[in-house]
Amino acid sequence: LFAGFMDFLPFIGNNQEVWAADCKILELIQVIQRHKDFRVRINMPVFYSTEFRSITRGVIKNISAGGIYLVTNEILQNGTKIFYEDMLDGRLCEIKAYVVYGVRIEGSYKYGYGCCFDELSTQTSNTIRLWCHDHQERKMLD
């Protein structure tokens, strides 16, 4: 830093602006977010279990090829693994996911959790993706 640099800081940048920088990715370790996948709004009751508790009831509010949004009365920590089975297009899918984020639903004793699918078989992953695509197309036709 040179003398007087701090005098210029108030004039550099604007917290309302988007900043960008060139960078080089050295190694891709894991893809965690799949926010751009099609989401299908549903209201599907589900019984799920976690690594810490036995079966609990929840409601899946949306699903995509990357994960689900689950509403439940149970408090779950980020990273908690959940397991459930679902019939999609006539196939029984064993689904594993983990909690990425959670929020308390205002005015209730319920919590909403964004969950990312984890360790899905190729067949289950393809079934979910196809199911979401088919339901998205049906909504467009209605």
Side-chain angles (χ1 to χ4, degrees), residues 40 63-68 84 88-89 93-95 117 120 122-134:
V40 178
I63 186 169
S64 72
I68 59 171
Y84 70 96
L88 299 173
D89 289 336
C93 297
E94 294 182 6
I95 299 174
F117 292 135
L120 296 182
T122 302
Q123 181 179 2
T124 297
S125 182
N126 290 340
T127 299
I128 293 169
R129 187 176 300 279
L130 182 62
W131 188 90
C132 289
H133 179 39
D134 288 348

Side-chain angles (χ1 to χ4, degrees), residues 1-133:
L1 296 176
F2 59 87
F5 177 76
M6 296 303 286
D7 295 334
F8 292 102
L9 278 181
F11 304 106
I12 298 175
N14 176 342
N15 63 1
Q16 302 298 317
E17 292 179 358
V18 176
W19 282 70
D22 291 331
C23 65
K24 180 179 178 183
I25 298 172
L26 300 176
E27 179 182 4
L28 180 62
I29 298 171
Q30 181 181 16
V31 176
I32 295 176
Q33 290 213 23
R34 299 187 60 180
H35 261 347
K36 296 190 179 189
D37 284 327
F38 283 121
R39 283 188 191 88
V40 178
R41 292 182 193 268
I42 58 176
N43 195 30
M44 181 171 50
V46 66
F47 290 100
Y48 68 93
S49 60
T50 69
E51 55 201 317
F52 307 113
R53 287 186 84 171
S54 58
I55 297 172
T56 306
R57 185 179 186 280
V59 178
I60 297 173
K61 293 294 191 176
N62 73 43
I63 186 169
S64 72
I68 59 171
Y69 185 75
L70 174 71
V71 174
T72 183
N73 293 336
E74 186 175 16
I75 296 174
L76 301 172
Q77 300 296 318
N78 288 353
T80 300
K81 293 181 181 182
I82 66 168
F83 313 93
Y84 70 96
E85 292 181 341
D86 200 356
M87 286 293 286
L88 299 173
D89 289 336
R91 292 186 177 163
L92 180 62
C93 297
E94 294 182 6
I95 299 174
K96 297 177 187 175
Y98 61 91
V99 175
V100 177
Y101 70 91
V103 296
R104 183 162 185 253
I105 298 173
E106 193 173 322
S108 73
Y109 294 103
K110 296 183 183 222
Y111 302 88
Y113 298 101
C115 302
C116 183
F117 292 135
D118 191 31
E119 299 176 22
L120 296 182
S121 69
T122 302
Q123 181 179 2
T124 297
S125 182
N126 290 340
T127 299
I128 293 169
R129 187 176 300 279
L130 182 62
W131 188 90
C132 289
H133 179 39

